[in-house]
Structures are given as C-alpha cells and as structure tokens.
Amino acid sequence: MEKLIITAAICGAEVTKAHNPAVPYTVEEIGREAEAAYSAGASIIHLHVRNDDGTPTQDRERFRKCMAEIRRRCPDVIIQPSTGGAVGMSDEERLQPTSLSPEMATLDCGTCNFGGDDIFVNSENTIIAFAQRMLALGIKPEIEVFDKGMIDTALRLAKKGLLKVPMHFNLVLGVTGGIAATVRDLAYMAASLPQDATFTVSGIGKYQFPMAATAIAMGGHVRVGFEDNVYISKGQPASSNGELVAKAVRLANELGREIATPAEARRILGMRGLNE
Ligand code: KMH
Ligand code: ZN
C-alpha cells in the first residue's frame, strides 16, 4: 500500500468556538492550528477562512493572508482552499481563492441537504464552471462527493475532458442528507471509483475515526480536523487539530501504514513538486 496521506480540515465554515474554543478564526489562530496539524503528520491543509468574529468568508485577501501564514509555518505543506465555502454563498464568492493559484482546491460534485433548511447547492453548470476554472489554472481538484451520484457526475465530467485523470476524490460520509458513514457504504463508494483514482475519507462527527480506520485498512487516505469533528473521544473536546491528526497517525501505526510527507503526497496524487 502507498503511504497514508493525512489531510487536516482545520476550520470549516460551520463549526464555531461554541462547539470547541480551539476552532481557529484569526490569521494567527489558523496558522497555529495548521502548524499543529502539520507537525503531527498532516501533509494537506484543507482550508476555509473566517473573519476575526468567526463568520465564514471566501475573501481573496483573507485567503492570501492565511495561506502566507501557513506557508511561513509549514514550508512544504499542500494548501487546499475550499471552493465550497459556506451554505448560501454565490459561485463567484466561492471561487475567489482559485485566483491565488493554489496547488489544489476542492470541487464539490453535487447538491446536498445539510440539515434543517440548509442546502449546499452545486448545479451541474456550477460544477462545470468550477472544473473549467481549475483546469485552466492547473489546480488539482479534490473531488468532494457526499453521495454515490456525485461520483457519477465526476465520471461524466472526466469523459468530457473537464477533469484530468487520475482523479482524486474525497468520500464524505455522515453529512445529514448525504450517504451514511457505514463500512458498507464506504466500500460501495470506493468500489464505484475508477481503478486509477485515489481517495481520501472524511467521516463526520463520531464517525471520524471509525471511517479513518477503515480507510487506512482499505488503502485509502484520511481527513480529520475540526471541520468534521471537534472531539478526540466521546464527550472530550480535542485540544487542537494536532491532537486529531496524532490520533490518525496512531491508528496508521497500529495498522502498519506509514505516513506520507508532503513531497510523497504530491507524488501519490500525481502533482508537481512545490518548486517545479
Ligand atoms: N461548508 C460546506 C457547505 C468544501 O470545502 O469544498 C461545504 C464544504 C465543502 O465544506
Ligand atoms: Zn470544507
């Protein structure tokens, strides 16, 4: 098996300090949490940004500052801005960080209920426009799928030449309104991917570590972090994203999977080196 790529989703757009006081908002806090995750073994930082009061934003300048702060603290980490942003944001708002030419960014491949009245909207035209932007700018998409039909959408786009192969997926399981976080459903999702695709697994809430352990055993990769889960164990808030990454590293050690460095992650994902 390839070495394990650990992604840290350090902030998200929906989770707040009321859920866990260690959720980062400021540039300094985001830099510190990214560094904690990187030092513990994360090779990718999945990045949302916030205003100082915690409200989610996709503002280009805020992304630029946060990315510079992360780069200062973690010289070789892969920074992966979100183009999902927060529920209700416009496409133009969401696309802002792509103008900073990141190596990688997320590409959400379908619309999904997000609990209550919240709907995360990604029409087919939105997905195509985002894919075209990433193709034009040479950004590696992490294809985010919350259900099986979203994999089929990505395969259709690849057939039209809008997504380069091999593709890299993030299988998100356990979102209210998306596919459940069960071993059966994860196996079904993984079996629906092209042979040459790579995938990471994000289990939401209490499913973060059961899904991570399953992904490690399957040969997939793992995402942990406050965006998806704020607890280190039942009822015990995590002190930092670093603590969540360290737990994923312990699981990998127990299961005999080595941890990929950022350079190794770039090779596994078919990306160029940082300075190439
Ligand atoms: N915050 C969610 C509505 C992504 O980063 O691409 C969308 C999200 C997906 O987090
Ligand atoms: Zn996200």
Side-chain angles (χ1 to χ4, degrees):
M1 273 184 206
E2 289 281 14
K3 290 188 181 180
L4 179 71
I5 301 170
I6 300 177
T7 299
I10 59 172
C11 169
E14 284 82 21
V15 71
T16 69
K17 286 188 190 292
H19 299 108
N20 183 324
V23 170
Y25 294 165
T26 67
V27 175
E28 154 78 19
E29 287 170 348
I30 282 178
R32 204 186 318 132
E33 279 300 306
E35 187 175 0
Y38 168 76
S39 302
S43 49
I44 301 179
I45 303 296
H46 170 66
L47 186 63
H48 291 254
V49 299
R50 306 291 185 95
N51 296 309
D52 284 350
D53 66 1
T55 52
T57 176
Q58 288 288 105
D59 179 64
R60 181 185 193 277
E61 185 53 21
R62 188 67 168 185
F63 262 100
R64 192 191 61 69
K65 284 192 182 136
C66 289
M67 288 167 72
E69 180 64 11
I70 294 172
R71 181 61 68 225
R72 188 178 72 75
R73 292 169 176 264
C74 320
D76 60 343
V77 82
I78 299 169
I79 303 174
Q80 178 202 84
S82 168
T83 68
V87 167
M89 287 180 172
S90 72
D91 289 2
E92 277 318 306
E93 215 174 343
R94 287 167 50 184
L95 276 169
Q96 289 179 73
T98 60
S99 67
L100 296 165
S101 291
E103 294 178 88
M104 212 180 184
T106 53
L107 175 65
D108 295 276
C109 269
T111 294
C112 187
N113 279 342
F114 254 55
D117 289 328
D118 286 348
I119 307 173
F120 181 36
V121 177
N122 293 283
S123 72
E124 187 174 30
N125 285 345
T126 291
I127 302 165
I128 289 171
F130 281 35
Q132 282 172 328
R133 172 81 65 100
M134 292 187 206
L135 200 57
L137 295 172
I139 300 169
K140 170 95 177 174
E142 178 170 279
I143 300 163
E144 302 244 336
V145 294
F146 302 84
D147 230 323
K148 159 71 164 61
M150 299 188 192
I151 296 175
D152 300 321
T153 297
L155 298 183
R156 262 201 324 277
L157 260 58
K159 235 183 205 163
K160 291 181 182 161
L162 292 164
L163 289 171
K164 276 196 194 163
V165 293
M167 292 182 272
H168 176 63
F169 288 82
N170 178 16
L171 311 180
V172 185
L173 297 99
V175 165
T176 310
I179 198 163
T182 66
V183 171
R184 181 197 67 169
D185 289 336
L186 173 50
Y188 172 53
M189 294 284 272
S192 306
L193 302 176
Q195 282 289 323
D196 63 353
T198 48
F199 69 94
T200 195
V201 174
S202 303
I204 303 301
K206 67 181 179 184
Y207 301 107
Q208 181 156 87
F209 290 104
M211 287 293 101
T214 311
I216 293 167
M218 289 170 80
H221 303 283
V222 164
R223 178 171 112 173
V224 294
F226 287 155
E227 176 165 346
D228 304 332
N229 163 51
V230 294
Y231 295 101
I232 190 66
S233 56
K234 192 169 184 206
Q236 180 71 43
S239 61
S240 77
N241 282 280
E243 200 183 4
L244 297 170
V245 172
K247 183 164 174 172
V249 170
R250 285 201 300 281
L251 289 175
N253 287 341
E254 289 295 333
L255 295 170
R257 225 34 219 275
E258 288 180 70
I259 308 300
T261 63
E264 289 165 340
R266 287 185 178 88
R267 183 192 54 74
I268 293 166
L269 298 176
M271 295 161 63
R272 285 195 305 271
L274 194 53
N275 297 312
E276 286 170 39

